[in-house]
Amino acid sequence: MEVLREVDELCEWRDGRRIGAGRLGFVPTMGNLHAGHLALIDHARRRAESVIVSLFVNPLQFEDAADLARYPRTEQDDLEQLERAGVAAVFVPTEAELYPNGQQGLVRVDAGPLGERLEGAARPGHFTGVATVVSKLFNLVRPDVAVFGEKDAQQVAVIRRLITDLDFPVELAIEPTHRESDGLAISSRNRFLDEGQRQRAPAVYRALTRAAESLAGGHTVAATLAGARHWLAQQGFEVDYLAYVDDRRFEERDRLVEHGRLVVAARLGEVRLIDNLSVVGAGPGRPSASGESDR
Ligand code: PAF
């Protein structure tokens, strides 16, 4: 596995891949790899002959300096996992390498209104930070296919628009959310949960599955969401949002729709958990819930 730390090294590696070397799959990450990331890499391996992964904690997408500072950095362990996973190369730039002119005055890729709703409203500037770094990485890596996790459903929506609106010649692939056996979505942030919080955390997913059952039982979207928010608050969560959206635009919908999705962000103490569940209108008024992407 090639460990590439400089942009020039990456470009040389990319250009040196022989013609006929096949498709290049790309998995952008912020490191601290877990089973969810390994599933993204597996997905990329099924879609491409070789896979490159990036490890970069992107400061642009953190609106809170303390959150950025405490983001877990586990490079040595990450590199060992990537070697075992059989990736061809890993790009590990420093901040100065990727943003040589600093953040002041940086030209950014605006994620548009899609980036301002729900998760974007809770984290102003977050999706513009994501769209900017992903654009840079796409330009540098030039992958044939890039894999993102369904857990970050609004990020997926932003990347889909980024690829379409800015004409990146990249195929978008989505890997379904990976969960612990009790339903908790696997995330780097789970390590911040104390023992009591960890026991309560699966309630986030349970709120989604209960809501999906309620919709399947014919209850309205409004009543279902009110019930789910109330139930989650009873479990000790502070609910940032729990909504039913069209997952292409991330606009709220009061009836079941083709690309419908329940999305939630809720806090347990200092730890903020997000999750989502596809619940699409299938036939006249009948919903179907699925953990799988409908993409
Ligand atoms: O999902 C992530 O880990 C990040 O948002 C990404 C896509 C690597 C961009 O920094």
Side-chain angles (χ1 to χ4, degrees):
M1 179 179 79
E2 299 271 351
V3 180
L4 312 165
R5 296 191 181 273
E6 291 173 12
V7 164
D8 285 352
E9 287 178 298
L10 169 64
C11 296
E12 207 177 308
W13 178 85
R14 177 198 71 201
D15 295 342
R17 288 180 78 246
R18 285 185 312 257
I19 295 177
R23 277 157 60 91
L24 179 60
F26 176 43
V27 181
T29 81
M30 297 206 297
N32 193 232
L33 303 182
H34 50 60
H37 294 111
L38 296 179
L40 300 182
I41 292 166
D42 264 4
H43 192 138
R45 283 164 60 98
R46 291 197 300 276
R47 299 256 186 153
E49 277 65 34
S50 43
V51 173
I52 180 167
V53 172
S54 61
L55 302 179
F56 179 65
V57 182
N58 175 35
L60 254 48
Q61 67 190 77
F62 288 81
E63 62 293 345
D64 175 8
D67 201 24
L68 172 62
R70 74 171 187 160
Y71 198 87
R73 288 154 171 93
T74 52
E75 184 184 308
Q76 201 44 48
D77 183 58
D78 293 343
L79 292 177
E80 284 164 20
Q81 291 197 58
L82 293 174
E83 180 94 63
R84 284 197 296 275
V87 312
V90 52
F91 180 46
V92 200
T94 59
E95 190 180 327
E97 183 67 20
L98 212 54
Y99 299 116
N101 298 323
Q103 290 184 40
Q104 209 61 33
L106 182 74
V107 173
R108 295 169 199 242
V109 177
D110 185 346
L114 173 55
E116 287 164 14
R117 302 184 186 118
L118 293 166
E119 197 58 17
R123 306 182 62 186
H126 170 72
F127 287 117
T128 286
V130 171
T132 303
V133 79
V134 171
S135 300
K136 283 174 71 74
L137 292 169
F138 280 175
N139 281 331
L140 292 170
V141 174
R142 299 188 197 160
D144 298 289
V145 56
V147 187
F148 290 82
E150 186 180 16
K151 170 163 181 296
D152 296 306
Q154 196 168 351
Q155 173 168 279
V156 166
V158 167
I159 302 297
R160 180 184 288 109
R161 283 299 299 259
L162 177 76
I163 289 174
T164 311
D165 293 353
L166 299 189
D167 305 300
F168 281 105
V170 179
E171 184 191 329
L172 174 64
I174 315 297
E175 174 66 15
T177 303
H178 281 246
R179 301 184 180 280
E180 304 286 1
S181 55
D182 57 13
L184 176 65
I186 294 178
S187 159
S188 301
R189 290 176 191 269
N190 294 352
R191 64 161 52 193
F192 298 125
L193 296 165
D194 67 28
E195 212 178 306
Q197 291 171 333
R198 173 64 190 82
Q199 277 175 16
R200 279 188 284 156
V204 174
Y205 183 54
R206 190 71 195 108
L208 295 177
T209 55
R210 284 169 61 107
E213 284 159 20
S214 164
L215 293 170
H219 296 282
T220 63
V221 169
T224 296
L225 295 179
R229 287 184 199 116
H230 180 69
W231 183 81
L232 208 44
Q234 279 180 329
Q235 312 305 308
F237 288 81
E238 203 180 306
V239 181
D240 268 8
Y241 59 79
L242 199 161
Y244 181 67
V245 299
D246 167 336
D247 75 8
R248 297 312 201 249
R249 306 172 65 88
F250 267 75
E251 284 171 349
E252 300 197 33
R253 295 284 182 258
D254 58 8
R255 279 168 209 280
L256 297 174
V257 291
E258 187 188 358
H259 296 293
R261 189 171 293 268
L262 290 161
V263 291
V264 62
R267 291 173 197 273
L268 263 184
E270 290 293 294
V271 190
R272 187 166 181 278
L273 300 171
I274 64 167
D275 205 344
N276 65 83
L277 184 64
S278 163
V279 181
V280 297
R286 304 308 299 172
S288 84
S290 142
E292 303 259 320
S293 169
D294 58 327
R295 299 171 179 92

